[in-house]
Amino acid sequence: MDRIAAWVRTERAKLRGMSLRGKLSYIVTYYWVQLALIAFALAFGLYLHSQMSVQLAENHFAACFGNTTAELGPDSDFGRGFAQYAGYDLKQKNLVLLDECWCHPGETSAFNNTYYNLLVTYLDSGTLDVLVMPAEDLAAVGQSGRLMDLRDERTAALFDAWQDRLIYVTPSAQSDYGHEPVPVGIDLAGTPLVGENAPYGDSAVLGISALAPHPEQAERFLQYLFEEDGACLISF
């Protein structure tokens, strides 16, 4: 505390004899990193508040699209098309489609950790139903035990229907899955989400949150992506 107090006194003394312009120039020159971090924290706080506010009402379905710059939110052509295809009444419940989440699970950086912590919050709070990410990123999430084993009775129909597209992961030591490979994802190759000029280039995989409140809606979402009647509503 004494060091901080001494530093504050020194800085005040430096600023006391300066003009307003000089003070601003000094602060920007020597404290721009701190100012940038504060601005980022404030902006992220506002973003987090706006995103978390969707939990105030009940949802039809909630999905997160990680690591894409495409517009896939509920007000996009993609989102409106799915709401129409699924027959959701958006005056009664929300359709939550989050398209601003950039992180690579397992990597360490302030930026990466911020978005990864946000993703974990959505998964652990039971808000998300579905997560879509490139294969490597989704596998890392699946290894943590945060994605449903598709052999679960709630998703057994999907496990049977998509046998040729299942993605397996070997659980980490910290998960509750044991040591045998677990099916946690469905390969989305062949859908409008994957390919040249698509939101995801080489690969995208869909996983279902272990705490998904509406796991049954994942089947409807997959139908939207794979069936001609659904795909015709999607344009990028």
Side-chain angles (χ1 to χ4, degrees), residues 3 23 98 109 135 165 168 198:
R3 275 187 179 181
K23 290 177 181 178
L98 306 172
S109 72
R165 288 181 172 270
Y168 287 76

Side-chain angles (χ1 to χ4, degrees), residues 65-68 70 72 78 131-136 138 165 167 186-207 221-222 224-226 231 234-236:
F65 301 92
N67 298 337
T68 177
L72 300 171
F78 175 84
L131 174 64
V132 176
M133 298 185 90
E136 183 178 354
L138 187 118
R165 288 181 172 270
I167 303 297
I186 297 173
D187 187 356
L188 298 182
T191 72
L193 291 180
V194 180
E196 188 176 359
N197 299 321
Y200 295 93
D202 296 334
S203 75
V205 178
L206 178 147
F221 184 65
L222 285 165
Y224 174 62
L225 294 177
F226 280 100
I234 307 173
S235 59
F236 296 108

Side-chain angles (χ1 to χ4, degrees), residues 9 95 115 135 139 149 162 177 215 222 232 236:
R9 288 195 297 269
L95 170 60
Y115 280 101
D149 181 338
W162 302 95
Y177 282 157
L222 285 165
C232 70
F236 296 108

Side-chain angles (χ1 to χ4, degrees), residues 48-208:
L48 179 61
H49 179 269
S50 66
Q51 294 294 315
M52 295 298 286
S53 66
V54 300
Q55 299 181 38
L56 297 178
E58 190 176 350
N59 301 327
H60 286 290
F61 177 73
C64 176
F65 301 92
N67 298 337
T68 177
T69 58
E71 293 186 9
L72 300 171
D75 295 324
S76 66
D77 291 341
F78 175 84
R80 288 193 294 268
F82 178 54
Q84 176 184 337
Y85 179 82
Y88 293 151
D89 184 348
L90 301 185
K91 294 181 180 179
Q92 293 186 351
K93 298 180 183 180
N94 289 326
L95 170 60
V96 179
L97 302 175
L98 306 172
D99 58 2
E100 295 184 7
C101 181
W102 301 278
C103 64
H104 300 287
E107 293 185 8
T108 302
S109 72
F111 181 82
N112 186 72
N113 289 347
T114 298
Y115 280 101
Y116 180 65
N117 289 337
L118 175 62
L119 175 60
V120 168
T121 297
Y122 283 128
L123 290 168
D124 290 354
S125 65
T127 299
L128 276 188
D129 294 299
V130 161
L131 174 64
V132 176
M133 298 185 90
E136 183 178 354
D137 297 326
L138 187 118
V141 177
Q143 288 172 338
S144 71
R146 289 189 167 92
L147 297 180
M148 192 176 295
D149 181 338
L150 296 178
R151 295 168 297 190
D152 187 283
E153 61 180 9
R154 294 167 294 175
T155 53
L158 293 179
F159 176 79
D160 293 336
W162 302 95
Q163 285 283 328
D164 59 338
R165 288 181 172 270
L166 295 176
I167 303 297
Y168 287 76
V169 301
T170 301
S172 67
Q174 290 74 31
S175 75
D176 297 326
Y177 282 157
H179 304 290
E180 296 298 321
V182 177
V184 298
I186 297 173
D187 187 356
L188 298 182
T191 72
L193 291 180
V194 180
E196 188 176 359
N197 299 321
Y200 295 93
D202 296 334
S203 75
V205 178
L206 178 147
I208 300 175

